[in-house]
Amino acid sequence: MGEVVKDLTAGTVGGAAQLVCGHPFDTIKVKLQSQPNPLPGQPPKFSGAIDAVKQTLAAEGAGGLYKGMGAPLATVAAFNAVLFAVRGQMETLLRSQPGAPLTVGQQVICGAGAGVAVSFLACPTELIKCRLQAQSAMGDSGSVGATVKYGGPLDVAKQVLRSEGGTRGLFKGLVPTMAREIPGNAALFGAYEALKQFFAGGQDTSGLGRGSLIVAGGLAGAAFWASVYPTDVVKSVIQVDDYKNPKFSGSIDAFRKILASEGVKGLYRGFGPAMARSVPANAACFLAYEVTRSSLG
């Protein structure tokens, strides 16, 4: 079996594991990121992550935590297959000879290159996911389920294509998506390789056990979000912004307005759920990837 096929297959399995473990955390993150600023003297819709979970469960049941999962589930195969396959091909290009281990710096370069490729898949998927996750949080007040604009992932796509500039509308937020994926994946794969080499005591990491891979994958996921979280907040607010009456003219405008109205803490709304998600989700992703790829020979 070719190396590209192995990466495609293992990346698909890893992505599915990541999605199942992490999506409820991601839903809460997006709700916190996209909730409207409260009126003077009024409390915010969600006081924090736990409150957002409670309100979502009360109004929508457990299924509410998996809202918007259809879009990433439909594309998770393509997304993670491309991510790991591009990374694998860049590894091949950077190796001094076949089978030679790469340095941490070279893995950073591989991660950045993979980030460029997956940005074009991530942007429309994220837009659909964020619209579905955020629509209840975008309501003025009252119950979480008060505002229902979209019936599902396909409905989001249809409405955007019909009334938000066609295909271009699905790529709203591409710039902040790239600003997240490129440095984020550089940090992800760089940290993963650094941790594996630390645990192995050298560049040969082939003998590492599953426990070490789980820890390395989990901490690498934390490195991703710690390095790019404010960019993700900007991406989310841009993607859920109203097309006809936008609050923001672009990414820089969104960044400035969030800082002006909420300070630095506004750029870290939902950071807790994001970090809580990143560790188990990426641990599951990397473990599933490594085990699957190893089983393919």
Side-chain angles (χ1 to χ4, degrees), residues 54-120:
K54 288 178 179 177
Q55 287 195 45
T56 301
L57 288 174
E60 305 172 60
L65 295 173
Y66 284 89
K67 187 162 285 184
M69 188 170 167
L73 188 60
T75 57
V76 69
F79 181 90
N80 283 277
V82 168
L83 180 70
F84 283 96
V86 171
R87 174 217 181 195
Q89 289 304 294
M90 291 196 68
E91 285 179 330
T92 301
L93 289 173
L94 292 175
R95 279 195 178 98
S96 55
Q97 60 186 41
L102 270 66
T103 65
V104 173
Q106 287 173 318
Q107 284 290 359
V108 168
I109 295 171
C110 292
V116 174
V118 298
S119 293
F120 294 93

Side-chain angles (χ1 to χ4, degrees), residues 37-49:
N37 291 328
L39 296 172
Q42 296 294 316
K45 189 175 186 71
F46 306 117
S47 62

Side-chain angles (χ1 to χ4, degrees), residues 175-193:
V175 170
T177 298
M178 295 186 78
R180 182 190 75 174
E181 292 295 329
I182 296 171
N185 280 295
L188 177 76
F189 288 110
Y192 184 60
E193 187 62 29

